Amino acid sequence: MKNCHNDYKMKFSTDEEYPDLTKHNNHMAKALTREIYDKLRSKSTPSGFTLDDVIQTGVDNPGHPFIMTVGCVAGDEESYEVFKDLLDPVISDRHGGYKPTDKHRTDLNYENLKGGDDLDPNYVMSSRVRTGRSIKGFTLPPHNSRGERRAIEKLSIEALTSLEGEFKGKYYPLKDMTDQEQEQLIADHFLFDKPVSPLLLAAGMARDWPDARGIWHNDEKTFLVWVNEEDHLRVISMQKGGNMKEVFRRFCVGLQKIEEIFKKHNHGFMWNEHIGFVLTCPSNLGTGLRGGVHVKLPKLSTHPKFEEILTRLRLQKRGTGGVDTASVGGVFDISNADRLGSSEVEQVQLVVDGVKLMIEMEKKLEKGGNIDDMIPAQK
Amino acid sequence: MASTFAHIMSGRKAMVALAGLSAGTLATSYLMRDSSSTAALEKMKLYPPSADFPDLRKHNNCMASALTPAIYTKLRDKLTPNGWSLDECIQTGVDNPGHPFIKTVGMVAGDEESYEVFADLFDPVIKDRHNGYDPRHMKHPTDLDSSKITSGLFDDRYVLSSRVRTGRSIRGLSLPPACSRAERREVEHVVVQALSGLKDDLAGRYYSLSEMTEKEQQSLIDDHFLFDKPVSPLLTCAGMARDWPDARGIWHNNEKTFLIWVNEEDHTRVISMEKGGNMKRVFERFCRGLKEVERLIQERGWEFMWNERLGYILTCPSNLGTGLRAGVHVRLPLLSKDPRFSKILNNLRLQKRGTGGVDTAAVGDIYDISNNDRLGKSEVELVQLVIDGVNYLIDCEKKLEKGQEIKVPPPIAQFKK
């Protein structure tokens, strides 16, 4: 579809339109050049998404000197092709040098995970695996119309409410929720709210809120799906304690069941062998998977080598409120740092093995011991 | 003053004539979907307008009151010549359901042509917001002759400061919700160049938001001149904060009595102000400054957006017509506690705000009192209305001080027929 607004902007020169990124620190600002802007500014995807749409969030949010945000989003599956000249270097920078010719491995066979059912529950309070999925044939949250978003919701409800056994559950649309349902979902820590982060708002993801947004979860409250938040679907498997193996099993089985239903309607998930699962933010490409635990590491977390250990284990820490929060009472959210270039099984394996090791280190420190000989090599 | 509309800017790369904008003629609009594009046709089939119609059941704003499925169906696939759509006009109203007590407008224009192409929705919204003003059949009077003002000097014991503000848009460039970076920079360039030609008591300086020094910034804050990136979701959802602070800035004269905001909620916001009660002088400087700026931009082939149906064209329909808010900060300790205060203001067609501006509370019995209306009455009429009204309020205050009786004045007529 022609983007008439973009054609109109072509009357101005590249120099006149080029964004001022002199005070910016994000992946998009690092990768964008006048040459790239000049080459791509006249293009649009078939649904009408343009380069300016891709980068708007990065222009509006200069970033932080210490935290490198991505600074660009996709509006549809084709964005990653049409705007390759910008997105490939962004992907490479964000995902450890991933090349345009690299192939990504997908492995959702939970039986390939070794161990993971024995993380010490005295330290691991809860385990969780999340990912996102985009539905083929629809544009993504920065770009989709109300009609598309509603169609996504309708398909999702159909798929989710047809699940049975451990996956039997209920859908709660955000706009029709009763006060009682809302309070319960808040108490369960399931409810998501209208985004407030300017990173998301500037990308247009909160438009028409709360139209066609909702939450589905199974009766057992161990499998949860967010519809139309930052991605078409965010899928979460979780439970108290340290049985990551079980969490991952449920994750894989649930995802595959949902995918089958979408495929029957000729709306399978967006995926290709180069970037794996296609999601709105380039940081979530590949597996889109964040597998992690809430774990008590009061001694290890104050050890001078804590950061280095995490880096070597290919893990990251967050506070227990999630991204951009601080830890409380020595409890950290520890999860995989990678998304692209390794499979789901590989990433969860890193979490399982890494957390196991860190708990052993914590125990040694409790006894007043030294952990220098336990520090691992770079994975 | 802007006259005919078949104005083609010489030396500009920009758009084709806005010839279709005179009263009664609709500007050209394009059907969005090029009929030769299969992807577009498929999408139209899959998503008829009814699939995209917004859910406005919990909404309380002028757009939600006026929008019907029939209007949406008629307008959804239209675009202005610059490529701006209905969905983009109404996005802010869809995203901000409003407040049961405060009725916001709920839609914005992306360019001058929006008011034509989407007239089926803008007209009823304008009528609702501007007390029955009908753009199809009525004309808006523009009058910037400040010599017509009488009794424009208030009692300084009550009036602490006087101020008149309006906005102006540069014809041929898109408005803040829609403009590209290049257009916004062009607005800044055109305006700053014109302002540099101002002389004598109007001579001044421009401070670009992105290049200002810390010292300059502090000084502008101390003068209460600095504006910051909008945080109100009414504005951010309409896309007005994009690319901040690129091409935004503040100009003011050396005497700090004439101030212009560039590329905030409108292309320009023009403010004349001073301490004390000399509203006549404030308005005189306002009119003189505006006319000078207009002359300076016309020298270079530009003009302000204006037409006789809607007066001065601004981003928000609430600011059409004069775009003028003339007001004072006035002490009314006794009157403000009188139960008849609101009714008196209402009948005088005045509104009260706190001294921090819109949506703030009064501090220490000092109120910001200004005109309610923007469209259908001229600048001179509105400023005179404020002068007469504030004088009446001060008179009431003085009477109350002496223990005398005050009267609620009869309501002022809305429009001259």
Side-chain angles (χ1 to χ4, degrees):
Chain A
M1 177 190 315
K2 272 165 72 69
N3 184 314
C4 299
H5 192 213
N6 204 46
D7 293 338
Y8 159 79
K9 282 192 279 189
M10 293 306 296
K11 294 179 210 264
F12 296 95
S13 73
T14 294
D15 277 342
E16 287 170 326
E17 284 290 0
Y18 195 75
D20 180 354
L21 301 172
T22 46
K23 298 195 177 117
H24 287 58
N25 183 45
N26 57 52
H27 289 298
M28 178 280 290
K30 265 182 79 177
L32 188 66
T33 63
R34 265 167 223 267
E35 290 69 37
I36 294 176
Y37 190 81
D38 189 62
K39 182 177 178 191
L40 297 181
R41 64 184 288 236
S42 60
K43 301 201 189 318
S44 78
T45 64
S47 77
F49 206 65
T50 66
L51 181 68
D52 277 342
D53 294 329
V54 171
I55 67 173
Q56 190 67 58
T57 179
V59 177
D60 288 347
N61 295 291
H64 193 274
F66 305 151
I67 301 167
M68 189 84 158
T69 46
V70 177
C72 53
V73 291
D76 49 25
E77 191 166 7
E78 296 83 348
S79 297
Y80 286 104
E81 262 311 301
V82 174
F83 305 113
K84 281 175 80 51
D85 288 311
L86 173 64
L87 295 176
D88 279 350
V90 167
I91 288 168
S92 177
D93 200 11
R94 180 65 176 208
H95 295 282
Y98 196 76
K99 297 190 293 297
T101 48
D102 283 337
K103 302 257 186 287
H104 171 78
R105 294 185 295 287
T106 294
D107 182 0
L108 283 159
N109 190 342
Y110 62 90
E111 283 164 346
N112 291 339
L113 183 70
K114 300 188 193 45
D117 51 355
D118 57 350
L119 295 174
D120 191 333
N122 292 314
Y123 293 84
V124 177
M125 333 268 311
S126 60
S127 309
R128 180 185 188 265
V129 180
R130 70 88 159 150
T131 188
R133 290 291 185 265
S134 305
I135 302 166
K136 248 181 128 55
F138 298 104
T139 60
L140 298 172
H143 191 43
N144 55 20
S145 67
R146 285 179 290 273
E148 286 190 282
R149 209 184 291 113
R150 291 162 179 171
I152 291 162
E153 187 193 33
K154 186 155 181 257
L155 259 180
S156 303
I157 292 173
E158 203 188 303
L160 295 166
T161 54
S162 70
L163 297 174
E164 286 164 356
E166 62 174 324
F167 296 109
K168 187 163 179 310
K170 193 181 155 183
Y171 182 70
Y172 302 86
L174 246 58
K175 67 176 171 178
D176 292 328
M177 204 172 274
T178 66
D179 280 347
Q180 216 195 9
E181 287 169 339
Q182 187 175 316
E183 287 193 22
Q184 184 60 56
L185 287 165
I186 291 173
D188 290 325
H189 305 288
F190 283 174
L191 189 63
F192 66 88
D193 211 352
K194 182 169 178 175
V196 292
S197 164
L199 302 177
L200 300 183
L201 296 177
M205 298 194 221
R207 287 171 303 124
D208 314 312
W209 203 273
D211 199 317
R213 273 82 168 191
I215 292 164
W216 177 94
H217 68 79
N218 65 351
D219 296 337
E220 296 172 26
K221 297 187 183 178
T222 54
F223 194 68
L224 166 69
V225 178
W226 289 352
V227 179
N228 286 321
E229 193 236 10
E230 186 185 333
D231 279 294
H232 288 169
L233 303 174
R234 282 288 178 98
V235 179
I236 304 151
S237 169
M238 62 220 260
Q239 67 193 52
K240 295 247 178 265
N243 195 344
M244 182 60 98
K245 193 178 181 74
E246 172 62 12
V247 168
F248 189 55
R249 181 204 64 80
R250 188 184 318 116
F251 176 81
C252 296
V253 171
L255 267 175
Q256 277 157 346
K257 284 194 191 304
I258 295 171
E259 184 165 19
E260 268 160 39
I261 302 169
F262 277 101
K263 274 198 181 137
K264 261 196 243 154
H265 291 273
N266 295 319
H267 281 289
F269 294 148
M270 288 184 200
W271 179 94
N272 68 56
E273 61 174 2
H274 168 50
I275 50 177
F277 289 102
V278 179
L279 293 173
T280 304
C281 181
S283 68
N284 283 319
L285 293 170
T287 61
L289 186 144
R290 193 171 91 83
V293 297
H294 281 188
V295 57
K296 280 190 227 165
L297 299 170
K299 293 200 154 26
L300 183 62
S301 59
T302 53
H303 191 282
K305 292 230 165 86
F306 185 46
E307 298 289 341
E308 195 188 328
I309 291 165
L310 286 171
T311 305
R312 289 183 180 209
L313 292 173
R314 310 199 67 78
L315 299 176
Q316 62 173 216
K317 73 176 197 292
R318 298 181 183 191
T320 46
V323 68
D324 298 329
T325 64
S327 94
V328 176
V331 180
F332 283 84
D333 176 316
I334 303 290
S335 63
N336 54 299
D338 307 320
R339 304 268 184 276
L340 179 62
S342 52
S343 74
E344 288 81 354
V345 166
E346 286 167 325
Q347 289 168 8
V348 176
Q349 192 70 64
L350 282 170
V351 174
V352 160
D353 297 344
V355 169
K356 199 161 180 192
L357 177 62
M358 291 199 291
I359 291 172
E360 281 166 27
M361 289 178 168
E362 180 72 21
K363 287 175 175 172
K364 187 131 190 237
L365 289 171
E366 280 170 18
K367 298 192 187 100
N370 188 293
I371 58 165
D372 288 342
D373 58 349
M374 294 173 78
I375 293 180
Q378 176 68 55
K379 295 227 174 283
Chain B
M1 185 66 63
S3 48
T4 66
F5 298 89
H7 180 105
I8 299 172
M9 262 96 49
S10 54
R12 306 270 161 249
K13 293 178 269 187
M15 37 269 38
V16 180
L18 306 167
L21 280 182
S22 49
T25 316
L26 288 177
T28 47
S29 61
Y30 298 112
L31 191 58
M32 171 149 70
R33 273 79 174 180
D34 181 334
S35 54
S36 64
S37 158
T38 15
L41 278 178
E42 270 180 37
K43 192 154 188 177
M44 271 170 86
K45 273 189 251 155
L46 272 177
Y47 301 106
S50 56
D52 278 333
F53 190 75
D55 181 351
L56 302 172
R57 288 171 299 166
K58 296 197 178 117
H59 287 59
N60 181 43
N61 57 53
C62 298
M63 179 279 292
S65 298
L67 186 65
T68 64
I71 294 176
Y72 188 75
T73 297
K74 183 174 177 193
L75 298 181
R76 184 193 72 162
D77 296 335
K78 294 202 184 336
L79 291 180
T80 67
N82 308 331
W84 188 249
S85 70
L86 180 74
D87 276 338
E88 288 168 308
C89 285
I90 68 172
Q91 191 67 60
T92 180
V94 177
D95 288 347
N96 296 290
H99 193 273
F101 304 154
I102 302 169
K103 198 163 186 186
T104 45
V105 175
M107 68 187 300
V108 293
D111 47 26
E112 189 164 8
E113 296 86 340
S114 296
Y115 287 106
E116 292 304 317
V117 175
F118 308 116
D120 286 314
L121 182 58
F122 272 108
D123 286 353
V125 165
I126 289 167
K127 209 167 175 190
D128 186 8
R129 180 60 178 213
H130 294 282
N131 310 301
Y133 183 86
D134 181 0
R136 286 292 125 210
H137 301 111
M138 291 164 80
K139 290 205 192 347
H140 168 80
T142 292
D143 185 356
L144 284 159
D145 180 358
S146 60
S147 68
K148 294 178 183 162
I149 297 292
T150 61
S151 334
L153 189 56
F154 298 120
D155 188 333
D156 270 30
R157 290 173 296 166
Y158 296 88
V159 173
L160 307 178
S161 60
S162 309
R163 180 184 189 267
V164 181
R165 71 86 159 152
T166 188
R168 291 289 186 265
S169 309
I170 309 294
R171 172 161 284 158
L173 296 167
S174 303
L175 296 171
C179 64
S180 70
R181 282 179 293 273
E183 289 187 283
R184 202 185 294 112
R185 292 163 180 170
E186 183 75 339
V187 169
E188 186 189 38
H189 174 75
V190 168
V191 172
V192 172
Q193 198 175 45
L195 294 170
S196 66
L198 291 175
K199 297 182 174 18
D200 307 318
D201 69 317
L202 293 178
R205 223 204 103 162
Y206 182 67
Y207 301 86
S208 139
L209 243 60
S210 37
E211 283 157 36
M212 131 176 353
T213 66
E214 289 212 9
K215 206 164 152 224
E216 287 166 344
Q217 187 175 316
Q218 194 53 55
S219 180
L220 288 165
I221 290 173
D222 294 338
D223 289 324
H224 305 290
F225 283 174
L226 189 64
F227 65 89
D228 213 352
K229 182 170 180 176
V231 292
S232 163
L234 301 177
L235 300 183
T236 54
C237 290
M240 299 193 219
R242 286 171 304 122
D243 314 311
W244 203 275
D246 197 319
R248 272 82 167 191
I250 291 162
W251 179 97
H252 69 77
N253 66 347
N254 299 327
E255 298 177 19
K256 298 185 182 178
T257 53
F258 193 62
L259 167 67
I260 307 212
W261 290 353
V262 179
N263 285 320
E264 194 237 10
E265 186 184 333
D266 278 295
H267 284 174
T268 66
R269 283 290 179 92
V270 179
I271 302 152
S272 170
M273 63 220 262
E274 59 183 69
K275 293 247 179 272
N278 198 338
M279 180 60 95
K280 189 172 164 82
R281 185 165 64 198
V282 168
F283 187 54
E284 182 277 323
R285 182 170 52 245
F286 176 82
C287 296
R288 185 164 46 89
L290 274 172
K291 289 195 196 126
E292 251 313 275
V293 173
E294 184 165 25
R295 188 186 67 75
L296 288 162
I297 65 169
Q298 279 170 341
E299 265 178 9
R300 290 191 160 78
W302 297 93
E303 54 185 15
F304 292 142
M305 290 184 197
W306 180 93
N307 69 50
E308 54 179 5
R309 290 191 315 130
L310 300 174
Y312 287 101
I313 304 296
L314 294 174
T315 304
C316 182
S318 68
N319 283 318
L320 289 168
T322 61
L324 185 141
R325 191 170 93 85
V328 296
H329 282 187
V330 57
R331 278 189 335 103
L332 298 168
L334 296 174
L335 182 60
S336 59
K337 292 185 187 62
D338 191 295
R340 293 164 288 184
F341 186 41
S342 288
K343 181 105 178 107
I344 294 171
L345 286 174
N346 224 342
N347 285 5
L348 292 173
R349 304 224 46 79
L350 296 176
Q351 59 174 227
K352 73 178 196 288
R353 299 184 183 190
T355 48
V358 67
D359 299 329
T360 64
V363 175
D365 302 322
I366 300 171
Y367 284 82
D368 177 316
I369 303 290
S370 63
N371 52 299
N372 254 338
D373 306 318
R374 306 264 183 274
L375 177 62
K377 290 194 166 106
S378 75
E379 289 81 354
V380 164
E381 286 173 295
L382 290 175
V383 173
Q384 192 64 59
L385 182 149
V386 171
I387 288 170
D388 296 344
V390 171
N391 277 332
Y392 190 93
L393 296 175
I394 292 173
D395 198 62
C396 286
E397 183 71 22
K398 286 176 174 169
K399 284 198 164 83
L400 289 173
E401 283 170 13
K402 296 190 192 107
Q404 288 170 356
E405 255 310 301
I406 61 170
K407 274 209 273 268
V408 174
I412 293 174
Q414 299 271 0
F415 297 117
K416 295 205 186 87
K417 294 288 178 224

